[in-house]
Amino acid sequence: MRAAPFDPTHLDRMIEVLESMHRHRLANPLNQSDALYYQLLANYYRDIRDAPKLGKKLVYHTAILPTEIFYAMDVVPAVLEAVSDALTNLCNLWE
């Protein structure tokens, strides 16, 4: 069985939304952590999107596993719950 080719289309859209939220928070700050939060999230999903282009392994895992293990193995971790929730909500992918 072969996996389908990686399609970053929805990740691209999600990163655009998060970057837009980051710019909005920079222009309209409530506190410093808001802007930083959206910037870090965009960077996290950018790492996931770019892993195949950079020749890095991408591992999907549940939230109970510490990501430090995967970083130590030089693979890009993607928390299943976070990725699926963010894609659904930020890209309006629910039915």
Side-chain angles (χ1 to χ4, degrees), residues 14-31:
M14 187 169 56
I15 292 165
E16 289 173 16
V17 170
L18 289 167
E19 288 172 341
S20 173
M21 294 166 90
H22 175 245
R23 286 189 301 275
H24 175 74
R25 280 291 149 222
L26 285 175
N28 306 288
L30 295 176
N31 56 55

Side-chain angles (χ1 to χ4, degrees), residues 9-27 33-49 82-92:
T9 307
H10 292 305
L11 282 173
D12 290 338
R13 175 68 185 127
M14 187 169 56
I15 292 165
E16 289 173 16
V17 170
L18 289 167
E19 288 172 341
S20 173
M21 294 166 90
H22 175 245
R23 286 189 301 275
H24 175 74
R25 280 291 149 222
L26 285 175
S33 63
D34 282 350
L36 181 59
Y37 174 74
Y38 293 115
Q39 179 183 19
L40 290 172
L41 272 180
N43 290 343
Y44 173 73
Y45 291 113
R46 193 176 293 109
D47 287 346
I48 292 170
R49 180 197 64 196
V83 173
S84 62
D85 180 59
L87 280 171
T88 302
N89 289 307
L90 294 174
C91 296
N92 299 323

